[in-house]
Amino acid sequence: DPGNVDFDAFCRAVADAGAVYTNRLHVGLLSAMVGKPTLIREASYHKIRGIYDLSLANRDNVTLVGPDGETRP
């Protein structure tokens, strides 16, 4: 929420995190790009799974988590 934190502070928070667990695609992408251990949880739509399959599955630091909480290959 831009009313709570500006973009630079948001980026610093992600960069300073030990790991990131999120169901927000853009947070997961930033976290993956800066090399943080990233767990991206699938939501009710298929966008996260599609982006994971096409762009993130080959990254060692990214894990997809299903809606049931189980990790996905």
Side-chain angles (χ1 to χ4, degrees):
D1 180 358
N4 295 327
V5 65
D6 65 29
F7 184 69
D8 289 336
F10 165 72
C11 290
R12 281 192 305 277
V14 171
D16 291 344
V20 174
Y21 182 81
T22 184
N23 66 350
R24 306 301 297 179
L25 180 59
H26 293 89
V27 176
L29 290 172
L30 176 60
S31 177
M33 290 188 321
V34 298
K36 296 297 171 180
T38 305
L39 295 132
I40 303 177
R41 188 174 182 130
E42 288 183 87
S44 59
Y45 52 92
H46 302 289
K47 183 179 6 176
I48 290 175
R49 178 60 182 226
I51 297 294
Y52 175 82
D53 287 345
L54 294 173
S55 301
L56 299 172
N58 62 341
R59 291 180 169 260
D60 293 335
N61 64 314
V62 180
T63 302
L64 182 68
V65 179
D68 57 1
E70 296 294 320
T71 58
R72 304 282 192 238

